[in-house]
Amino acid sequence: MKPVLLRSLEVPSPLELDSNENPLGPSRRASKAIQEALSRVNRYPERDCFATEERLARLHKLSASHVALGPGSFGVLRLLMEACMPAGSEAIHAEPSYPMYRVLIHKVGGTPVAVPLTPDHRHDLVAMGHAIGPATRLVIICNPNNPTGRMVSSEELDAFMDQVPPHVMVVIDEAYYEYAEGPELPNAIDWIRKGHNLVVLRTFSKVHGLAGLRIGYGVAQPQVAAMLRQMRGPFAVTSLAQVAAQAALDDRTHVAAVRVLNEQVRSELCSALDREGLHYIPSVTNFVMIRCGGDDVSLTERLSEVGVRVRPGTEYGMRGWLRVTVGTSEQTQRFVSALLTCLDWSLVRAACP
Ligand SMILES: Cc1ncc(COP(=O)(O)O)c(C=O)c1O
């Protein structure tokens, strides 16, 4: 009889395709910077994150006064909500979108106002504009949107921004921006340059592969960025996160490689889904929403039993769908064969006749 330990070693490690992480990990430069900084973790990090904020300001052709670093873009959004949303105020967001918006809004005593996506799974900015009322303090636009992987156009964003009243702050969450970068993607930071009251959130968790270090930032008008920095307090971002982020920004080759791989594997995934007659939402990001019909929670449990973790659409109010992260080519092949084994085809046919 084989020893228990040996048997457990034979089980392939689970494929983690449920959190839109980067399968290539951080750049070699970032890893080296982390290694070098390890010997100094007995020291506090740079108190006010100034060097990293300066570096980001140069990247975005703004002054450092426009940038506020934080423990993940989620951490920055939390500070913004605490600052801008008195109890009883409202924040508008799309539905389905990133579920943590609703959680955070409730946490600060606010009321979430959910505006359904368009039938083609994109933000309905016209309806979101109509939903603005006297109690609205924030409008959150997730662009590209998690979980549908679709984006709003520059034209739509321009028309929306022109009608936002001054008491409302617009937040554009660009966690997946780098995957979609291209002429059709609106450049929200341009609106900050034009003096509009808007916060753009970016993260090092996705294309830079540094999710575990918790580092992200907001770009905003100087008075808003100053408020975020003040609320963040001293020593809020670890030294390892700061050095890794700076090194990651210096390694454009790695970002390019991540994007190329993502596009290639996403296209392989979509071709495999097309071949099998499975419906999915065309995505500009590193994840794809797939129509599986029926009980997506049971399906994701079956997939998990064969070592593949994906996200059930039900978590986003999309029953009958599942969201899979684009991994490497080999990981994606493994996902597709597991999916084909676990799917209940009668439910798929009922959902997509
Ligand atoms: C749309 C969106 N915004 C923000 C985040 C959180 O990012 P961070 O790791 O920077 O807190 C995520 C994480 O998955 C996300 O999908």
Side-chain angles (χ1 to χ4, degrees):
M1 197 172 109
K2 285 184 188 172
V4 173
L5 180 64
L6 269 186
R7 240 192 295 152
S8 69
L9 284 176
E10 281 165 12
V11 176
S13 53
L15 253 188
E16 294 169 303
L17 301 177
D18 56 343
S19 295
N20 302 340
E21 293 149 345
N22 179 340
L24 292 185
S27 89
R28 270 212 290 275
R29 281 201 202 191
S31 302
K32 188 162 170 269
I34 294 167
Q35 286 290 338
E36 283 167 9
L38 272 178
S39 64
R40 284 184 57 80
V41 289
N42 57 322
R43 306 292 172 195
Y44 285 97
E46 195 196 314
R47 195 191 116 108
D48 295 316
C49 309
F50 194 68
T52 315
E53 287 173 351
E54 275 266 90
R55 179 69 188 78
L56 287 164
R58 260 188 287 132
L59 174 74
H60 296 302
K61 301 186 176 60
L62 287 163
S63 75
S65 64
H66 288 89
V67 182
L69 211 64
S73 59
F74 180 75
V76 179
L77 181 60
R78 184 172 52 75
L79 294 176
L80 189 67
M81 286 202 187
E82 283 168 6
C84 300
M85 290 200 60
S89 63
E90 294 176 357
I92 298 171
H93 62 88
E95 182 96 350
S97 193
Y98 184 44
M100 295 312 287
Y101 300 146
R102 180 183 286 273
V103 173
L104 276 184
I105 297 165
H106 280 303
K107 211 165 175 173
V108 297
T111 306
V113 176
V115 175
L117 296 178
T118 58
D120 64 347
H121 311 285
R122 296 169 342 101
H123 279 61
D124 187 340
L125 290 186
V126 173
M128 288 176 86
H130 290 151
I132 295 175
T136 310
R137 288 293 169 274
L138 293 185
V139 178
I140 309 168
I141 299 170
C142 185
N143 199 39
N145 188 42
N146 176 10
T148 57
R150 306 224 53 201
M151 65 182 192
V152 299
S153 67
S154 304
E155 227 175 287
E156 288 166 319
L157 187 64
D158 289 357
F160 174 79
M161 289 303 297
D162 277 336
Q163 48 150 29
V164 176
H167 71 278
V168 174
M169 169 92 77
V170 177
V171 181
I172 316 243
D173 181 348
E174 295 189 337
Y176 302 96
Y177 185 89
E178 294 88 345
Y179 289 105
E181 231 166 9
E184 63 291 3
L185 185 69
N187 187 338
I189 292 179
D190 269 351
W191 283 93
I192 295 174
R193 290 194 198 96
K194 289 189 228 159
H196 281 257
N197 193 15
L198 147 120
V199 178
V200 177
L201 298 173
R202 295 276 186 97
T203 182
F204 286 90
S205 299
K206 305 297 175 182
V207 88
H208 294 294
L210 294 169
L213 287 182
R214 313 303 306 125
I215 179 164
Y217 62 101
V219 183
Q221 294 306 336
Q223 64 279 18
V224 176
M227 173 194 74
L228 291 170
R229 288 193 299 269
Q230 198 209 343
M231 291 183 71
R232 174 189 73 199
F235 310 118
V237 182
T238 69
S239 51
L240 298 185
Q242 291 189 53
V243 297
Q246 288 176 44
L249 290 173
D250 288 338
D251 194 346
R252 300 311 296 169
T253 318
H254 183 68
V255 171
V258 171
R259 292 183 59 212
V260 166
L261 179 78
N262 184 66
E263 264 189 62
Q264 177 210 313
V265 179
R266 191 179 63 212
S267 139
E268 287 168 16
L269 170 63
C270 294
S271 304
L273 297 172
D274 286 337
R275 268 196 307 278
E276 300 302 333
L278 286 163
H279 176 71
Y280 57 91
I281 302 175
S283 166
V284 295
T285 62
N286 67 335
F287 52 86
V288 178
M289 205 67 172
I290 302 170
R291 190 101 196 235
C292 51
D295 183 355
D296 51 283
V297 175
S298 304
L299 174 61
T300 51
E301 279 165 10
R302 286 199 298 280
L303 282 165
S304 178
E305 280 158 20
V306 296
V308 178
R309 291 193 200 137
V310 297
R311 203 56 78 115
T314 294
E315 278 190 25
Y316 302 88
M318 291 181 75
R319 189 173 185 274
W321 295 78
L322 60 82
R323 193 198 68 189
V324 62
T325 304
V326 176
T328 61
S329 193
E330 183 271 330
Q331 290 171 340
T332 299
Q333 282 165 28
R334 203 173 131 197
F335 159 72
V336 171
S337 57
L339 180 66
L340 296 180
T341 316
C342 295
L343 263 182
D344 180 335
W345 284 94
S346 62
L347 295 176
V348 176
R349 278 190 283 275
C352 321

